[in-house]
Amino acid sequence: MNDEWLTTFDEDGNITGSAPRNDVHRLGLWHETFHCWLVSREPDGGISIWLQLRSRQKRDYAGLLDITAAGHLLTHETPQDGIRELEEELGISVPFAALHPLGIIPYTMNTAGFLDRERANVFILETALPMEAFNLQPEEVAGLVTASFTDFTSLWEGGSSSIRVRGFRMEGTLRIPIDEEAGISSFVPHEPSYYRKIIAGISAVFA
């Protein structure tokens, strides 16, 4: 990971050069990432949003709920290359054309001992896959859950203090069921405005 080189940007999105990933975070330099949120349609007509449970082995935000699949884009990569995150983290293979682009969402996280300034290339993937179809990367992902998109929206718009999440977490080779309440403190602390933009994007796609 220390050898990963990332393209750096200024606040207007102009390329300024490149730097090792550790330096990018230490210095708070803007860089590009790939984010993909999985959603599914429910038999009752509702929508579910999928969340990954970050591995407890992770250096940052271990054990918190996060974007379904995400990762940094290296200097030689384009957003299309980010599709690898779905295969690496979730064990599923999909064509890039299946993704719905939401554009670039810039945001900042100033927590966990570093300043993270991301230009996130954000996508939505509609899936009908069952939980059993996912093969998680244990170093990155400890589990996978779904939540009602309506409840997720209410949580980030201040209408409720918690949501019900259901899915599984891995303990060795065992899949342990998850059925519990999760509040904002259970999520990686992306800016609330980031979550609201995701909600707006998903709402537009599924309008």
Side-chain angles (χ1 to χ4, degrees):
M1 182 178 293
N2 293 343
D3 294 329
E4 291 181 347
W5 279 72
L6 310 180
T7 301
T8 58
F9 300 81
D10 62 20
E11 291 186 358
D12 297 320
N14 300 306
I15 294 175
T16 58
S18 61
R21 176 171 170 172
N22 283 348
D23 289 348
V24 165
H25 286 157
R26 180 176 58 85
L27 299 173
L29 304 176
W30 286 97
H31 57 286
E32 278 194 308
T33 54
F34 170 90
H35 293 183
C36 187
W37 291 86
L38 269 62
V39 293
S40 55
R41 300 178 191 267
E42 300 302 325
D44 63 3
I47 300 171
S48 290
I49 187 167
W50 296 64
L51 305 162
Q52 75 159 249
L53 180 64
R54 290 170 67 89
S55 170
R56 294 197 177 277
Q57 302 175 39
K58 295 285 287 183
R59 181 182 63 180
D60 310 313
Y61 313 117
L64 295 182
L65 296 171
D66 201 6
I67 304 151
T68 329
H72 288 80
L73 294 178
L74 307 182
T75 52
H76 63 281
E77 292 183 318
T78 68
Q80 287 86 343
D81 294 306
I83 197 77
R84 61 180 163 73
E85 299 293 343
L86 292 167
E87 186 164 0
E88 291 176 2
E89 294 189 354
L90 306 181
I92 60 173
S93 180
V94 299
F96 183 75
L99 305 185
H100 299 274
L102 295 187
I104 295 176
I105 301 178
Y107 71 95
T108 299
M109 289 195 295
N110 190 4
T111 57
F114 65 88
L115 180 59
D116 191 13
R117 288 193 170 115
E118 294 191 11
R119 291 173 50 80
N121 294 267
V122 183
F123 299 87
I124 299 168
L125 174 65
E126 183 178 351
T127 183
L129 292 172
M131 287 278 182
E132 295 74 20
F134 294 86
N135 183 23
L136 307 183
Q137 182 181 16
E139 300 84 4
E140 299 287 335
V141 186
L144 197 60
V145 299
T146 63
S148 159
F149 180 64
T150 299
D151 293 346
F152 181 82
T153 299
S154 180
L155 178 69
W156 289 104
E157 292 184 348
S160 60
S161 60
S162 66
I163 59 174
R164 176 72 64 177
V165 296
R166 296 179 174 89
F168 69 92
R169 71 177 184 275
M170 298 300 300
E171 291 187 3
T173 59
L174 298 178
R175 295 191 175 208
I176 308 301
I178 293 175
D179 186 349
E180 60 191 40
E181 293 289 317
I184 286 177
S185 63
S186 300
F187 286 78
V188 171
H190 303 290
E191 293 177 346
S193 61
Y194 168 81
Y195 284 111
R196 289 193 291 268
K197 288 175 182 175
I198 298 305
I199 288 167
I202 293 174
S203 298
V205 171
F206 287 87

